[in-house]
Amino acid sequence: MEAKTVKSNMTDMTQGSPAGLILFFALPLLVGNMFQQLYNMVDSIVVGRFVGSTALAAVGTAFPVVFLLSSMFMGLGIGAMVMVSQFYGAGDAERLKATIDTIYTALIVGIVPLSIVGILVSRPIIALLAVPADTADQCWIYMVIVLGGLIGSLGYNANSGILQGLGDSKTPLLFLVIACIINIVLDLLFVVVFHWGVAGVAIATIIAQAFSWIFGIFYINKKYPQIHIHPFCFKFDKALFGQIVKLGVPAGVQQALFSFGVMAMQRLINSYGSAFMAGFNGANKLDTFAFMPIQSFATAATTFVGQNIGANRPERVHKGTVATLWMSCGFSVLVAVLLLPTGRFCMRLFSTEPAVIESGFAYLARILPFYWMLAIMFVLSSIMRGAGEMMVPMISSLAALWLARVPAAYLLAHFFGPMNIHFCYAIGWALGLAICVPYYFSGRWKEKSIVVRAAGGS
């Protein structure tokens, strides 16, 4: 299998306008992120409307725990995506295929012990989170079912990471749309018709994810025969897996510790009562949607940089970085211009209570003027990940959270009141920028190329 054959059916980001390539790669990712949010919201809407508030609390509590337990493997998927993009950019078909076989072998071998461990620790985690008694049993049922079918979610993420590394952002969107449709139909069937409650929502979730994963394998094998996926081939390259671990563990640790940080913030928010909690959660939903374009641009930049680093095109890496920064910062300003005057109106989508609206608007008014800081930090971190530098983005993100945002939130609440808690985000982003910007301009992240190491016999 020749390198040029591999490149025939996939997007080659080493040629053409960097800005155009990144923009059009990011658009399907943006739509996919919106569907992902819809997918996550459906479970909560169905159980909240048709089962009750305790079921809604159970699903909401279980979701970050499941994310936490699967974060390490999701980190390995990010590492594999970087390797795929660099080997593809270098035209190294042999190592490209070996990387895909290795990550799938790790998935199939590791999924059973991961699920078992997750199920065994689910009860202690629920106790640690002090989940109320009327919610704990439903939370445990949801967690056990979703963890038992975790292979569908991780399999989908593996397929998406492989395709994004190859420059294909449209096909993962197709998989996600299919999963979303199946999930909505089965949620309504299992909960509204069969009255299975929280268990029905969990079963619908794992069926939808499993179908999307299996369909993805058949689709990839038909459309991209050069990278034919054999889930049970058990071909394992120790050297490549070691590289995947080096790249993926920092990303996995970052996601895990970030989950803990979010829980610490949520505890502080909860201490100010239900109206403040409702305002924060509603505004956070708006924040999540506003952040999606930045996230999509940054993910596109990771693939762009990976391919061009692999192809030894550093001048294109610089052009792509500048283009992504302009697009992300420009959108950040646009979001602030649109949401600040309409923030109170948007909050009415979640509640008509004045206290809820004002607490939510306080969140938006204190983060949106500084959104450009988040855009720069996130884009530069993604650029460095595309080159193979994982440690500095991890350090930047965790320092911004644990050394700045969380402590600042508690201090601001104590000295200036709860409405000013949200300035902690800008304080965290400032520390993150202080770490990643100087390192970016040092240029040392460009020396992390996996392709160079592979050529040297690593």
Side-chain angles (χ1 to χ4, degrees), residues 84-103:
V84 166
S85 66
Q86 291 202 18
F87 288 141
Y88 170 58
D92 192 338
E94 182 179 351
R95 288 182 179 269
L96 172 61
K97 184 66 170 66
T99 299
I100 295 171
D101 288 342
T102 297
I103 195 64

Side-chain angles (χ1 to χ4, degrees), residues 99 196 199 233 273 284 301 416:
T99 299
W196 289 354
C233 67
N284 188 255
F416 302 102

Side-chain angles (χ1 to χ4, degrees), residues 68 74 78 89 148 155 215 293 320-321 352 386 420 434 438:
L68 175 65
M74 293 172 66
I78 294 173
F215 173 79
T321 300
T352 57
N420 291 305

